[in-house]
Amino acid sequence: MALTRRGILIGVLAGSGLALGYVVRPRRFPLPLQPAPGEFAFDAWIKIGKDGVVSVAVPQVEMGQGVTTLIPQVVAHELGADWRQVAVETVPVSPIYANLALAARWAPLWMPLAPSLAENPHGMLARRWAEDRAFNATADGMSIAAYEAPARAAAASARAMLMKAAAARWGVDWQDCEARDGFVVHKGAPQTRHLPFGALAEEAAAHAPPSTPPLRADAMAEKQERNSAGAPPRYPRLDQLSKVDGSWTFAGDVRLPGMLHAAIRHAPLGADASLFAMREDAAKGTKGFVRVVKGEGWVAAVAQDWWTAETALARMAPRFKVTGPIDSNAVDAALDEAMRTGKAHRIYAAGDMALIEGGLPLQLRYEVSPAVHATIETASATARLEHGRLELWIGTQAPEATRESAARAVGLSIADVVLYPMPLGGSFDRRLEFAHAAQVAILAKELGQPVQLTWSRGEEMRAGLPRTPVVAVMAARPDAEGGVAGWRARIAAPPAALQFGRRLFGQDSPEQAVAAVAGKADPLALEGAVPPYAIPAVAVDHVPARIALPVGRLRGNAHSYTAFFNESFIDELAHKAGREPLSYRIAMLGKDPRLVECLQRAAGLGQWGGGGDNSGQGIACHVIGEGRIAVVASARRDENGVRVDRLSAVSDIGRIINLDIARQQVEGGLVFGLGLVLGCSMRYEEGRPLTERLGELALPVLADCPTIEVDFVPSDADPADPGELGVAAVAPAVANALYSATGVRFRRLPLFDEEI
């Protein structure tokens, strides 16, 4: 039978669970943002009350990145609202809020047979898949890319409807009116007239929205020159005060009538885990203790309060039997074997491959250890199962997958699960995993009462999946002037992104996901490995290492190690050629003037002196999507170990919606990345982590944090997310600074693994 493009497409759709006719059927979805008495809905994004309060829907989880301010700020600007009257409302999972940008980006994970068919976020295939899955996930800094346009269009339409309502009262053309500061204004003889939004809301809601939203000429943008030093921000964060006074409610703050509390113990990481022994009698007589619940690979104690439940578990001392428990020495050996003999998959090639074949003049090995998230808030969730309906209070980055996991655990339809989205106290992609949702659902079913499950810090470490370990051999062929003629990266790592995709979209267990994707190439696990420089020949090879350790996502993801490989290696090439590291980089960046400007500005901000003469200065740059950053680090080694004194960063993230939040995100990324430089690593023996406390992770405390300077390049380009840029660039900048200070190259993360 002859193959046709149409036949292949139909096969791909069928293989991805998509039916023929899928892209043409009409869609109608109920309004998820229901107005209260005295409120009126404008599209699915905005409600305006008679009191003038403008409530804005935010379908993404707030985890410190400021999304509950950024989307309302876009709406306020486009609508002409007074920021003091803007409120935020987190909304339930709905196809209306499908994250099309992230769905297209993650097409290789949900449509692995032909991801290129769904890589366009404006294409029908990505839209239909995301709507069918109610895909509202928060990740990869895609919130503005996904939601600025629809929120802005809704605000423009609502503004037109408000102006039409005011114009009808005044008997004027609505296009002669304008909306600003929460009022509709008409300037005409004999006087200027104005009406507040609240007085017009009911009449405005009765008007039909315009067929084409009348967008303002300029999208929301804050310029640095408008924000003088010490001046209060024009758009302060909407969550700021509640976080300061403690009224912001997280998952662990939920309280329900008759609620019980649960603590948990997980089996060690490995295959076929089961409970082996437990002294249940040891918990009898513990005041407030209720009972034990056993699950697959875990056991929980339930009591009137969490501390009693945790105490009861400690007394019962559960022990588990595991086949092939994870051991870090075995993981290291598997990575070494993959690097030496594993089959490489070329995921990127450009230029004359003859220049990078065989043994190249310079070949250097770099290593990255597994790293943990170190979230302040451990996993917590509350469940109530009554009359065949499960209610779930949980902070999650993947709400629909979380609902599905909980439903499967207790044998319900996903339609019978109601998820109340809670904010997160920092996630760093940890809450893209949702095992605790299934656990708390089982507990609620077993107990017949509302139950709140909270993992201890030790259990967060034991059951959390670390960032993948990686080994890279970077090779280069210099040209006659000391530049780079050929560049080859051979990177051994498990297919970490594909593992994650199996857990998220296939509801696989961690062990099932490891087995399902073993040996497969994974370009998403090597994002950022292609250097930004103009090099005649470049090749990037992935060796999918077969390690037993299940791995997950972490802030910065692949960029947190590919930037370390690239920028450490380029620095070594510069010094080997006897060239100054800044000018060496700039000479190869003729096609990226935006990154050149970041480097030049960072050099000025950090008082770059060339990185020589034991100055303790290092420089690095990186690109993530359309975002760019350059960092100058000043570091030294003293009797107390490594000390980073100063970080100077300049970033180009396009049009900046909120300058204060952008600066917070870059600063936070730099400090988070510094944690990966100095600590956060994890070793395993017999399936258990050797570190179970935050204090043992060598995290930088406030006294360790350097002076941080952050500046931005003015730009009118589309907004890029600033949250992960600092994470990626700080490690090589510090490593290069330490070389300048000590003359010793550090090629392993975290740096203390080098026995400084």
Side-chain angles (χ1 to χ4, degrees), residues 31-36 38-57 75 79 89 91 96-97 150-166 184 196-210:
L31 185 69
L33 191 64
Q34 293 296 331
E39 289 184 329
F40 304 92
F42 295 79
D43 203 326
W45 290 93
I46 301 166
K47 295 187 301 185
I48 301 177
K50 289 184 176 180
D51 57 1
V53 173
V54 177
S55 298
V56 181
V75 168
L79 184 63
E89 183 168 336
V91 290
I96 291 177
Y97 305 117
R152 189 180 174 200
S157 295
R159 172 166 45 83
M161 294 160 74
L162 288 165
M163 291 191 294
K164 287 181 179 180
V184 175
F197 286 178
L200 295 167
E202 184 172 8
E203 299 163 54
H207 283 269

Side-chain angles (χ1 to χ4, degrees), residues 4-57:
T4 65
R5 184 180 184 279
R6 180 177 182 275
I8 293 173
L9 177 58
I10 291 172
V12 167
L13 293 176
S16 303
L18 310 178
L20 192 61
Y22 170 84
V23 296
V24 296
R25 69 178 187 264
R27 318 307 296 276
R28 291 287 186 271
F29 304 114
L31 185 69
L33 191 64
Q34 293 296 331
E39 289 184 329
F40 304 92
F42 295 79
D43 203 326
W45 290 93
I46 301 166
K47 295 187 301 185
I48 301 177
K50 289 184 176 180
D51 57 1
V53 173
V54 177
S55 298
V56 181

Side-chain angles (χ1 to χ4, degrees), residues 564 677-678 734-735 738 746 748-756:
F564 175 65
V677 170
L678 303 177
V734 171
L738 286 174
F746 298 93
R748 183 180 177 90
L749 287 180
L751 297 184
F752 70 73
D753 280 2
E754 302 273 2
E755 300 183 356
I756 298 174

Side-chain angles (χ1 to χ4, degrees), residues 455-466:
W455 292 10
S456 67
R457 175 61 57 188
E459 292 307 308
E460 184 73 31
M461 297 292 200
R462 293 169 196 150
L465 304 182

Side-chain angles (χ1 to χ4, degrees), residues 16 37 73 138 182 218 279 330 368 447 459 468 517 598 702 714 752:
S16 303
Q73 188 176 339
T138 307
D218 296 321
R279 303 194 304 269
V368 172
L447 273 296
E459 292 307 308
T468 183
V517 303
C598 288
L702 188 60
F752 70 73

Side-chain angles (χ1 to χ4, degrees), residues 325-390:
I326 305 300
D327 182 86
S328 285
N329 290 331
V331 170
D332 294 343
L335 284 169
D336 285 341
E337 181 64 22
M339 179 55 69
R340 288 195 306 269
T341 65
K343 178 183 177 182
H345 300 259
R346 183 145 292 174
I347 63 170
Y348 180 84
D352 182 3
M353 293 297 98
L355 291 172
I356 50 89
E357 295 302 331
L360 300 184
L362 184 63
Q363 298 191 157
L364 299 173
R365 177 181 167 116
Y366 298 86
E367 300 178 15
V368 172
S369 296
V372 294
H373 305 77
T375 59
I376 294 175
E377 181 186 25
T378 62
S380 183
T382 302
R384 178 168 59 194
L385 180 58
E386 292 181 349
H387 311 299
R389 188 179 78 159
L390 176 67

